[in-house]
Amino acid sequence: MSSYGTLFSGMLQEFEGAARLLNLEPGIWQMLTHPKRQIIVSCPVQMDSGEIQVFTGFRVQYNVTLGPAKGGIRYHPDVTLDEVTTLAAWMTWKCAVAQLPFGGGKGGVICDPTKMSKRELEALTRRYTAEIIDAIGPDKDVPAPDVNTNEQVMAWFSDTYSMHVGHTSTAVVTGKPVEMGGSLGRREATGRGAMIVAREAARHLGFSLDGSKVAVQGFGNVGAIGAQLMAEQGAVIIGVTDWKGGVQNPTGLDIPKLQQWVAQHKTVAGFPGGEPLAAADVFTLDAEILMPAALEKQITLDNVHDIKAKLIVEGANGPTTTEAHKILHEKGVFVVPDILANAGGVTTSYFEWVQDRHGYFWTEKEVNERLEAKMCQAFETVLKTALEYNVDMRVAAYIVAIGRVATVTKMRGMYA
Ligand code: GLU
């Protein structure tokens, strides 16, 4: 199929390793390696200049066996159907690992939001929502933020959907502003989940976050909050990079001050609290923990040999190529895979969806306690599976996820 590119092939390789160990039946194997639905839409937008520009958008519902499709929407110039399909597959496995009653979905629009005005972004969001409206809804498919989308984009999405269906629908999307049905703790949830699994993995390996040196690639929602929460646990953040450059300080960067800098300058580069760090050098730093929290395919055969960390926590989706992961495993690096490490975001999205459907909202303490419990439970289950099957954490996470989806697929049986 033309939509299957290199990213999807990588996901299939990860899937196959686990499916073989599970002795997955060929029919179920087929069902779990095909996306259920791929939608491609054209979104015309009147730009501020007066001219009309047509943007291509995607929404993929990879698998909905366990519940409504769930997954974010990303705005990026490099978005492809292959990428969105793969990300939707990863959401399927992520929701299953976290034991959420959701399937997996993902959306994307090919655009460069850094070059668009707020009005243009609003128009694009509303048109994209309208174009996919028949496929979404609280029981069908529930989007959320992803790369370059935020609470404001979710607010426009929710409003557009609500205007179409004729009533306010809060549960159609998660990651909304708290004032309109968002959950307390959602903004911090992916970073918090990453910190929790980093802490649990360090404990398993016999060390602690307190005093550990950490390098972070990406300083968006996941990287910045993950770094901040790890620093609060006593970790020393020695280097951070983003798309424009980086900053390092062997005695530890002041993360709240770095966040203030980024709010003004839109990049960590130039931060006066450290020395410059080339973007590619984040992987070579002398850190115990490395957190890639940017985009896919960042740890590759080109840089994997430079990595000194003994623990990698994948804040991003798909940051490590399959070949590079093999080498990390051989080197004895403990990798907490994306579908476990960044599951905190979608777990709190689940809490948001539950709160919206009940119309009854929890305190931040309740949200964080439930997130802590879910992440620890998922980590323990994957670790136990890794030890039982004598495999790495990525294969183990796939075994857990595929096992859960396959069980329900068989229970439900074949329709027609
Ligand atoms: N975009 C996030 C992810 O990749 C969150 C998805 C969601 O909350 O539905 O996990």
Side-chain angles (χ1 to χ4, degrees):
M1 228 164 121
S2 61
S3 64
Y4 293 179
T6 55
L7 210 56
F8 195 78
S9 314
M11 190 286 294
L12 281 184
Q13 266 175 274
E14 291 165 357
F15 179 96
E16 279 166 22
R20 220 171 283 128
L21 288 169
L22 278 170
N23 289 322
L24 197 67
E25 298 86 332
I28 306 291
W29 187 308
Q30 287 284 311
M31 288 172 75
L32 302 193
T33 51
H34 284 80
K36 178 184 175 62
R37 184 178 290 143
Q38 296 171 295
I39 302 165
I40 307 177
V41 292
S42 297
C43 308
V45 171
Q46 184 151 33
M47 306 303 279
D48 292 345
S49 64
E51 71 180 287
I52 290 170
Q53 206 173 314
V54 179
F55 295 88
T56 302
F58 308 101
R59 184 73 190 170
V60 177
Q61 297 166 351
Y62 189 80
N63 187 291
V64 294
T65 305
L66 299 182
K70 188 83 194 80
I73 297 166
R74 70 173 53 181
Y75 288 174
H76 199 276
D78 300 333
V79 164
T80 63
L81 183 57
D82 172 50
E83 181 192 36
V84 177
T85 304
T86 310
L87 288 160
W90 282 330
M91 284 308 304
T92 306
W93 315 133
K94 192 186 302 185
C95 291
V97 166
Q99 261 195 318
L100 310 177
F102 287 139
K106 203 80 173 196
V109 179
I110 306 171
C111 66
D112 186 350
T114 63
K115 298 206 173 88
M116 294 169 71
S117 70
K118 193 172 176 194
R119 193 208 61 80
E120 289 169 341
L121 278 174
E122 176 173 355
L124 173 61
T125 302
R126 290 189 184 279
R127 186 61 188 242
Y128 169 70
T129 309
E131 294 294 345
I132 62 168
I133 207 146
D134 292 337
I136 57 173
D139 291 309
K140 290 189 195 172
D141 183 353
V142 184
D146 197 76
V147 174
N148 290 332
T149 56
N150 55 18
E151 291 176 8
Q152 176 63 78
V153 173
M154 298 307 114
W156 293 325
F157 195 99
S158 166
D159 180 67
T160 308
Y161 179 84
S162 297
M163 297 309 288
H164 274 257
V165 297
H167 60 89
T168 296
S169 171
T170 50
V172 66
V173 74
T174 59
K176 301 176 293 295
V178 170
E179 295 81 354
M180 54 182 287
S183 177
L184 292 167
R186 173 64 185 86
R187 194 183 303 152
E188 297 80 15
T190 316
R192 181 173 295 278
M195 179 276 287
I196 293 169
V197 294
R199 189 194 65 208
E200 294 302 299
R203 185 182 298 160
H204 167 69
L205 297 173
F207 70 105
S208 130
L209 287 185
D210 193 8
S212 288
K213 287 174 279 172
V214 180
V216 182
Q217 186 203 31
F219 206 66
N221 180 260
V222 186
I225 293 167
Q228 185 193 322
L229 294 174
M230 283 200 228
E232 283 171 19
Q233 299 288 315
V236 184
I237 315 298
I238 61 165
V240 174
T241 53
D242 63 22
W243 59 287
K244 263 200 162 162
V247 60
Q248 60 181 323
N249 185 338
T251 59
L253 293 159
D254 184 327
I255 299 300
K257 283 209 178 111
L258 182 56
Q259 282 174 309
Q260 283 168 14
W261 173 268
V262 171
Q264 277 179 3
H265 300 86
K266 307 284 170 232
T267 173
V268 298
F271 176 60
E275 297 298 316
L277 173 67
D281 290 346
V282 70
F283 296 125
T284 67
L285 289 178
D286 204 4
E288 276 99 27
I289 304 175
L290 173 63
M291 182 163 72
L295 291 168
E296 302 95 62
K297 291 188 179 174
Q298 300 299 305
I299 299 176
T300 66
L301 289 182
D302 292 336
N303 58 21
V304 67
H305 294 285
D306 301 328
I307 290 176
K308 299 185 185 70
K310 53 184 170 187
L311 169 60
I312 296 183
V313 177
E314 293 185 336
N317 291 310
T320 313
T321 64
T322 314
E323 303 77 37
H325 184 256
K326 273 194 199 115
I327 297 191
L328 289 173
H329 184 57
E330 280 160 24
K331 288 203 326 179
V333 181
F334 190 89
V335 180
V336 186
D338 46 6
I339 58 172
L340 170 61
N342 68 41
V346 73
T347 299
T348 304
S349 277
Y350 164 57
F351 298 155
E352 180 172 332
W353 180 78
V354 169
Q355 292 171 79
D356 288 338
R357 290 171 73 109
H358 284 197
Y360 183 76
F361 291 85
W362 311 346
T363 63
E364 190 162 356
K365 187 166 173 283
E366 284 169 320
V367 172
N368 287 344
E369 281 172 3
R370 285 174 167 138
L371 176 63
E372 167 86 26
K374 274 253 177 225
M375 291 305 293
C376 287
Q377 195 182 24
F379 182 85
E380 268 169 43
T381 306
V382 173
L383 181 62
K384 201 166 143 261
T385 307
L387 298 173
E388 196 181 314
Y389 283 81
N390 193 23
V391 292
D392 63 59
M393 290 287 280
R394 193 184 311 278
V395 178
Y398 271 82
I399 290 176
V400 172
I402 296 169
R404 285 179 178 155
V405 181
T407 301
V408 178
T409 306
K410 283 183 263 181
M411 275 175 185
R412 288 180 56 164
M414 196 61 58
Y415 173 72

